[in-house]
Every structure is written in C-alpha cells, then in structure tokens.
Amino acid sequence: MTRPHRVGVVIATRNRRDRLAVTLRHLTDLPERPEILVADNASTDGTRAMVARDFPHVRVLALTRNHGALARNHGARALDTPYIAFADDDSWWEPGALALAAGLFDAHPRLGLIAARTLVGPENAEDPLNDLLARSPLGPATDLPGVQVLGFLACAAVVRRAAYLDAGGFHRVLFFGGEETCLAYDLAARGWGVTHCPDVVAHHHPATSGRPGRPAQQRRNEVLTAWLRRPVRHALARTGALAAEARADTTARCALRQTFALLPAALRARRPLPPHVERAARRLEAEGATA
C-alpha cells in the first residue's frame, strides 16, 4: 500500500455531476487513499455543490471557463504528490493499481507515464487499445517496466508529476479529444519513458450515447498533432487525406473546418520531434500499432 497522499488523482469534468459522484465513490474507497482533486471546467449543473456536500475530503479546483483537457494541467500544478493518476468522470482505478504504479515509478527513475490496462463497462471487457499497446513494436527498455508505447488513454494513465510538467502537459491547441499522442511524443522527446504496464488496471464506464462532436475533435487533433510535431510532408499527407474524406463525410468536413481554424496556432507552436522519436512514431505507423 502506498502512503496517504503519495499518489494524487486529477479528474477533469464538466456538467456530469451524477456520473462524477459514482467515480468519486469508487476512488474514495481505494485502499491507497489518494488525494483527489476535481478540476471543474465551469460546470453549471451543481457539480461543485455536490462535491462539497457529499465528498468534503475532495478538493475542487473551480475553473472559470472550460479548459478541456488542460484542466488536467491545472490540477497537476495544484497537487504536490510525486505521482498523479488521471481519471475522467466516468472512470476509476482498480484497488491496488495506484500502489503498484507508485512502486514502478520508484524503481524506474526515467519512467514518465504508465499506460494502464483498461476494462470497460460492468462486464470488464478489454478495451481494444489494450492489445494494441501490448503488441507495440517498440518493445521493452532495460531501464523501464512494460513495453514502450507512444499512445495511451488519458483516463487510464498515471504520470510522474515532474515529467508531466517538464513536458508541458496536454497541449493547449488540442483542447480535447485525441490529445494523448502529442503528450506521449513530448515526454519521449524530453527523455522520459512511456510504457504500457498491464498489471496497472483502470475501469472505464463511458455513456452509451457518446459525446456529440467528439469524433470530429479526434480527427481534427490527429491532423493538428501532425502539424505540431511531425515532418511537414507527413502533416500535409494527413491533411490531404482528411480533405479527401470531407468530400463525402460530414464528420470529416467538420474536422477539416476545425483544423483550418486552429492551424495558425499549431504552426506557431510547432516543434518537430527529435530523430529517434520520429523513427519510433514511423515504426508504429508502419506496423499498424499507433494508438
């Protein structure tokens, strides 16, 4: 068992009060007794009052506007625990998972992020991403646990706080939806290890209805990530592919419009990957193992 407040949990949420309450009950029952911080993206549904009333031990960071994924950055800065696990308002951690993660970080000083194994819904079904991560062609490293990856699911990730802040956290241009790849790139570019450790387990119970606009946001961010970090030739190819799909697909058209709106900001923040990380990204793509 980890010591109290050795691992913190940051939850980014907006207007999902009832689902957040379920998550907080699960996290409160964990044997690790993590410090829990809710980074609230300006909810208007009584989220903050519910947390204050029903979970007085949980800290609330009351953001004045919707920061999307960047709420996690604000939460990470507000905590002082050496390790931080992320959760969404529809996810939580298996008892013992955070203790195991802390032990792995303790034993491997270069480890920056653990991509956990994700079990979905009440049936504990394997998330398809689990197999993709486990089969990563990047293989193991002698100074890291698990297998090296360049992708993860945000609600099933544990980070070393110092590494996360060193890499800059989730990128402001991407806002939300498929924001993970850029962070994995940035951690690897700074020399931090990003690995999949399947013994660390998270539970994800997404709403069956999904979230409106999310597919377009994810498509947009795939292209913007290419402009932020990949070679121009690659970014042009990804943009062209999206434009071709947009001729017949409304989601692709929406994604393309959003991409062009945010492209100037992405170009201003462009920082191509160092050669060894670019080679790793290309290898993952060549073998169909991108997350």
Side-chain angles (χ1 to χ4, degrees):
M1 180 185 297
T2 58
R3 297 190 300 275
H5 303 295
R6 181 161 169 71
V7 180
V9 178
V10 170
I11 307 168
T13 190
R14 176 175 168 81
N15 288 336
R16 305 234 300 174
R17 178 190 61 195
D18 294 340
R19 298 185 69 84
L20 175 63
V22 174
T23 287
L24 291 176
R25 283 195 289 272
H26 283 282
L27 294 176
T28 297
D29 289 342
L30 290 177
E32 295 95 332
R33 295 171 56 200
E35 182 174 1
I36 304 170
L37 184 146
V38 172
D40 181 57
N41 275 316
S43 292
T44 57
D45 66 346
T47 287
R48 299 172 190 178
M50 179 277 293
V51 176
R53 181 187 68 243
D54 298 339
F55 303 94
H57 60 287
V58 172
R59 291 176 59 188
V60 176
L61 183 61
L63 302 173
T64 57
R65 61 182 176 86
N66 183 6
H67 290 262
L70 270 69
R72 302 186 190 113
N73 298 355
H74 292 290
R77 285 192 288 266
L79 288 180
D80 60 5
T81 54
Y83 313 127
I84 294 174
F86 294 119
D88 286 347
D89 44 33
D90 56 6
S91 72
W92 50 87
W93 291 90
E94 177 90 359
L98 300 184
L100 177 57
L104 292 172
F105 282 116
D106 288 344
H108 303 87
R110 192 170 71 88
L111 180 60
L113 183 146
I114 293 172
R117 175 176 167 228
T118 309
L119 302 180
V120 181
E123 302 82 10
N124 286 332
E126 295 280 346
D127 191 297
L129 183 60
N130 295 338
D131 184 59
L132 199 63
L133 295 173
R135 292 188 292 104
S136 170
L138 301 182
T142 56
D143 62 341
L144 295 172
V147 61
Q148 297 176 96
V149 295
L150 285 177
F152 62 94
L153 187 63
C155 70
V158 191
V159 299
R160 186 185 301 273
R161 180 176 180 270
Y164 180 80
L165 296 178
D166 178 51
F170 290 100
H171 202 284
R172 58 182 175 79
V173 170
L174 302 178
F175 188 71
F176 208 71
E179 68 274 15
E180 295 94 341
T181 299
C182 191
L183 175 58
Y185 286 165
D186 289 347
L187 285 164
R190 302 285 292 182
W192 296 104
V194 180
T195 69
H196 173 55
C197 299
D199 291 338
V200 179
V201 177
H203 294 269
H204 188 202
H205 287 230
T208 55
S209 59
R211 295 189 182 184
R214 180 62 60 84
Q217 290 174 330
Q218 291 173 328
R219 298 294 304 282
R220 172 199 76 198
N221 284 345
E222 289 174 4
V223 177
L224 289 173
T225 297
W227 283 108
L228 284 165
R229 297 293 181 258
R230 305 297 300 280
V232 170
R233 188 173 184 176
H234 175 86
L236 284 170
R238 296 300 294 268
T239 307
L242 181 61
E245 293 181 34
R247 297 191 188 108
D249 182 81
T250 56
T251 296
R253 281 198 294 274
C254 181
L256 189 63
R257 287 194 298 269
Q258 293 178 16
T259 297
F260 285 142
L262 292 168
L263 187 55
L267 293 174
R268 288 192 296 271
R270 179 172 167 76
R271 191 174 69 244
L273 297 175
H276 71 285
V277 182
E278 175 59 28
R279 287 193 297 270
R282 290 183 183 182
R283 184 177 179 186
L284 287 166
E285 289 167 348
E287 301 195 26
T290 53

